[in-house]
Amino acid sequence: MRILVSTALMLAAVSLAGMSVVGPTTHSLEWWSEVREGDPSTGTGGALYRLAALVLPLAVPLGGQELPPSPDLDPRALLLESRGEGGGPGSHWEFYFTRAIYSEYQGGWGWGRRARWATDYPKADHQFLVVLKRLIAIDAYGGENAVRLDDPEIRRFPFLYALEVSRMNLTDAEVQGLRDYLEAGGFLVIDDFWGERALQNLAYQLNRVLPGRLIRPVAMDHPIFSTVYALEEIQQVPNVGNGRRGGPTTECWGCEPMVFGISDDRDRLMVVINWNTDLGDAWEWAEDPWYPLQYSTFAYKMGVNMVAYAMSH
Amino acid sequence: MEGLFEFLFKYRPVLFQEGEVVLGTSWSTGLLVGAVALAGVVAVVTYAAAGGKARPRERTLLAILRLAVLGVITFALLQPTLVISSVVPQRNFVGVLLDDSRSMNLPGEDGAPRRTWMEETFGPEGSQLVDELSERFALRLFRFSSETSRVEAVGELGFQGTRTDVAGALTRAREELSSVPLSGLVLVSDGAENGAAPLSDAIIPLQAAAVPVYTVGLGAEALAPDIQVSRVEVPGTVLKGTASLVDVVITQRGFGGRTVDLLVEDGPRIVAEETVELGNDGEPIVVRIPLTLEESGARSLRFRVPVAEGEAVPENNARDRLVNVTDRTEKVLYFEGEPRWEMKFLRRAVEDDENLQVVVLQRTAPDKFQRYDVDGPEELRGGFPRTREELFRYRGLILGSVEASYFTRDQLQMISDFVGDRGGGLLLLGGRSAFAEGGYAGTAVEDVLPFYLEEPAPDPRGAFQPLTVSPTPAGLNHPVGQLGGAGWDDLPPLSTLNRVVRLKPGATALLTGSAGDEERIVLAHHRFGRGKALGLPVQDTWLWQMHADVPLEDQRHEILWQQLLRWLVDGVPEPVSLILGRERVEAGESVQITASVADSAYIALNDARVVARVTHPSGAVTEQSLAWSVEEDGEYTGSFVPRESGTYAVAVEATREDGVLGEASTILQVGPSQDEYFDAGRRTPLLRRLAEETGGRFYTPSTVSNLPEDLRFTGAGVTLTEERDLWDMPIVLILVLGLLGTEWGYRRIREMV
């Protein structure tokens, strides 16, 4: 029912803009490419944004700025320190859970100075890795590993995790860095962003990265849902607050979880987009007795599957 | 030299070789020796007692000279005699074998065709040689090329034979003349032997029958100016699209330092081309030319150097080679013990290669496996294969980071047998659970490795070592080393957890890595039993795809893995295989068919039914059963004689009561051979060896006049014994006069006279 409501709202919004659309229940989702072709502030994409702003009363932050160096967080120093400087003894691990540091729109609604890429960081990363190493026989580094998208070093880590992308605003260097990363064989997982506007912003950013590639729903018979664990449905994983309270799992009205993907020319997933769900919180708070086990179980299964898929396809 | 010998000793050396020297005196030898000894004593005493100023040393020297004179005289008085067997005139036969091959049309030493001397000597107008031979022997003429037959006159020779089968000719002549007294065989040829049978097959019976062969070599030993494609080393079977390296040996005379083009042609198309700088005059060069064949089926490739102006033999500028280009999918099993990036990027690297199917079995957790690219739900359902049949269905096997203790002892032995018995290709990758760190020391798999295992690192992570990789000279000349484009330059460093530094004898390192002052082995291979084993003790070749320093369009990672896996499975045998004795024959020549038959576990079978099906160029099909050879388990042989020119298709099918074991096929080219034009210079060593091993002699047209005389004393045939005095040899008189003159001269110098 909620999917139907969500879809109806989107169809209504887009039809107000006079666009021809195909709903997300189909597997083509050409409408996303339409969205991605427009700048949020201009063109048809802009019209959609404006309409979305009416439907979803969120201010659209315009005029992106590059992420300034954070004086209290130097990810490069953190990275080198945690992985071992210069590739010396003890520095090699097969798998690094790598978190993407990206630029975002400044001002407007947000969490103040706290960069959104660092949401749940690093506890969620640590917790996920602890469980990952128990579930599969992987040689994984147990610490956090955050790398900027425009850092060439990112190409050493073919698995990348990004979240809270509703305000993502990539610089040209980041666009180029992420494009090269994905085209070379890297794998990007996106998590914990909610609502149509956030998805539209992501679509716009990804269209800059991978122009011409469509965002499509990932069908349940896709191998990513069965690589290690057979998942029969996509659960909406709530944030820690909602989960503890036993309240609604969604963070926006009518939002249903979906998994989208962008595939390469051989139909292998390059990007997996976990929309309207918060796997990261479930990893971060899995040990909390008040957080429902079913959500963290699903989140870990999905996480393991994504890692296993990324390392095999 | 021989003339001087004959002047001094009265007779030619050959008579002394064939005859025996005896003493013919009727006097009492003891009496004669005693008289000479007495004379010697008198001479010594006389010299010793004589007055004068001579010193003892001078007296001794003079006594020795005098004794030497007495010795020579004594020898003459003993009537030395040469006893020799000589043939009875017109009672013996001599077979004359005349080379009727095409190479006799090539220029001889004097510039005229080689056949000219033969035609003049054995022609109707006659010659001194033939006259002298005919005086003593009954001559029987034979012509020979690929076949041998009797002729009455040299005019029957056409000089169009496409082979020079010396062994066959000698055998045929010996057999044909076996019922008559045979003094010897005379072989007139350039010695450009290219028959199927080894020469020793003909020599041994000749030695047993004491039939000497006298060889007359025609033509110059080296033809100049000339360029020749001497040899082409090309694999008999290649996988479609596989880059192969073909070695072409080019020899030349008169074109030293020149630049020529080497072309590889597949019908009308040029499939490869290389500009080659020839070496110094007379020095052969080896050209290694990369070749990728994109059309499947049997391809007849021509390796050709365009004919230069003035070449003595234009026909030897091209060689044809048959290559069977297969278009099947080669199945490789990759067993990975843990999730690793290497597996992902290896799969990606070869996914566009339609001839490679990498089936992946990945252990994600203890006793939990993922399978990729399997053919059906049953494949590898039970994990790593537990039977030979299951494992041996693959042609290549890759072991990733999986500890030896995962396998049972039988499985480890089976992996070894996969290489040694089945003939498969094994590739072991580096990792924290590979090689010594994986506990492979002391296992059956260690024996297969191309290098020795070192002491395992206590903590593999501590053994982490970045490596700057570079190819060895052998690697640069290996198919795996052909990356194209930028080659091996600027590739980012890789890393290893496994220290490998010592190759086993016979192994070859293709890639090495610099780790500070130490050089590590990065890729090595060797033959093991029927198959090959490779070790690649690094863990992240995927960086050559993913690293920021490698442009996105760079294909070297893909090329490396495609070449590596194609080479891994190259030449891996099937349960049933087929080999023909020759890939190209002339119509009428017999072709040997050899089939090797084994079951799916590659155990040789001797009770199979093997049928060879030959499809002729005309479309006719003949079948014949092959019989177990007995000499070798699983080997079945037969033969057939193609009568038509063109391409024959030969296929064998092996069956047993429980069904078909397998099939194999190949093709055969039937047509005139060009072998006569290759290495067409006179082969003196071969002709000399043939003569010496049978008791004959080697001649050239300038020395052949001695042949009739030499033939007289072979001892073969109907002979009579001749005694020839040796006492009157000029050397005797020369020695006597010389020694006396020396004595007299010495005394004059010393003022003793």
Side-chain angles (χ1 to χ4, degrees), chain A residues 137 139 155 227 266 268 312, chain B residues 347 351-352 364 370 546:
Chain A
D139 180 33
R155 299 274 287 274
T227 296
R266 300 187 69 91
R268 286 174 310 219
S312 56
Chain B
R347 290 184 69 203
E351 67 188 353
D352 285 335
T364 53
Q370 298 294 322
M546 195 67 195

Side-chain angles (χ1 to χ4, degrees), chain A residues 269-286:
Chain A
L269 287 173
M270 311 162 78
V271 182
V272 173
I273 302 166
N274 296 281
W275 182 47
N276 291 341
T277 191
D278 190 351
L279 303 178
D281 257 19
W283 299 337
E284 185 181 7
W285 301 104

Side-chain angles (χ1 to χ4, degrees), chain A residues 87-95 135-139 152 154-159 179-181 183-187 226-229 264 266 268-269 308 310-313, chain B residues 337-345 347-348 351-352 362-366 368 370 372 432 461-464 466 493 495 497 539-540 542-543 545-552:
Chain A
S91 69
H92 175 80
W93 302 80
E94 185 67 27
F95 179 81
L135 294 178
I136 61 175
I138 191 168
D139 180 33
I154 200 171
R155 299 274 287 274
R156 290 182 172 274
F157 310 109
F159 183 91
R179 178 187 303 143
D180 291 349
Y181 173 87
E183 295 288 356
F187 188 82
S226 59
T227 296
V228 177
Y229 294 104
D264 64 11
R266 300 187 69 91
R268 286 174 310 219
L269 287 173
M311 296 187 79
S312 56
H313 287 78
Chain B
E338 58 185 287
R340 293 211 303 168
W341 294 115
E342 195 74 338
M343 187 269 271
K344 163 182 179 153
F345 286 96
R347 290 184 69 203
R348 285 175 164 239
E351 67 188 353
D352 285 335
Q362 183 191 46
R363 184 179 57 178
T364 53
K368 290 189 177 177
Q370 298 294 322
Y372 301 100
R432 60 175 177 159
R461 205 175 305 287
F464 174 80
S495 69
L497 300 175
Q539 56 185 346
D540 46 13
W542 59 269
L543 282 173
Q545 164 64 28
M546 195 67 195
H547 197 280
D549 291 346
V550 179
L552 289 177

Side-chain angles (χ1 to χ4, degrees), chain B residues 417-495:
Chain B
D417 293 345
F418 175 80
V419 185
D421 294 348
R422 188 253 183 272
L426 173 66
L427 169 63
L428 292 104
L429 307 179
R432 60 175 177 159
S433 298
F435 299 109
E437 286 67 27
Y440 282 91
T443 68
V445 173
E446 184 191 18
D447 297 339
V448 185
L449 294 174
F451 37 65
Y452 294 106
L453 297 182
E454 307 298 329
E455 281 296 312
D459 173 18
R461 205 175 305 287
F464 174 80
Q465 179 64 55
L467 293 173
T468 302
V469 177
S470 58
T472 63
L476 286 173
N477 289 316
H478 194 276
V480 176
Q482 310 305 306
L483 294 189
W488 294 89
D489 295 338
D490 305 325
L491 284 170
L494 304 182
S495 69

Side-chain angles (χ1 to χ4, degrees), chain B residues 248-309:
Chain B
V248 181
V249 180
I250 300 176
T251 53
Q252 52 79 27
R253 284 187 185 277
F255 293 101
R258 289 265 290 269
T259 300
V260 297
D261 290 330
L262 172 61
L263 309 174
V264 185
E265 298 165 338
D266 181 1
R269 291 186 303 113
I270 296 174
V271 293
E273 188 171 5
E274 190 100 352
T275 301
V276 180
E277 185 177 341
L278 301 174
N280 295 328
D281 210 24
E283 287 183 4
I285 60 164
V286 180
V287 183
R288 183 154 284 190
I289 184 166
L291 182 64
T292 303
L293 298 174
E294 299 290 356
E295 288 192 36
S296 58
R299 318 299 308 174
S300 181
L301 302 180
R302 170 159 292 189
F303 297 79
R304 183 170 69 87
V305 175
V307 176
E309 192 175 341

Side-chain angles (χ1 to χ4, degrees), chain A residues 87-152:
Chain A
S91 69
H92 175 80
W93 302 80
E94 185 67 27
F95 179 81
Y96 292 83
F97 185 84
T98 304
R99 185 177 280 249
I101 304 174
Y102 57 84
S103 300
E104 61 186 56
Y105 294 107
Q106 296 300 297
W109 183 87
W111 291 353
R113 291 181 62 84
R114 169 85 180 192
R116 294 196 172 201
W117 69 262
T119 303
D120 308 331
Y121 178 81
K123 186 187 172 191
D125 309 36
H126 293 173
Q127 300 247 116
F128 176 70
L129 285 161
V130 166
V131 178
L132 176 73
K133 288 199 282 187
R134 291 191 179 183
L135 294 178
I136 61 175
I138 191 168
D139 180 33
Y141 171 62
E144 67 277 9
N145 185 42
V147 184
R148 292 176 62 121
L149 292 177
D150 55 2
D151 185 346

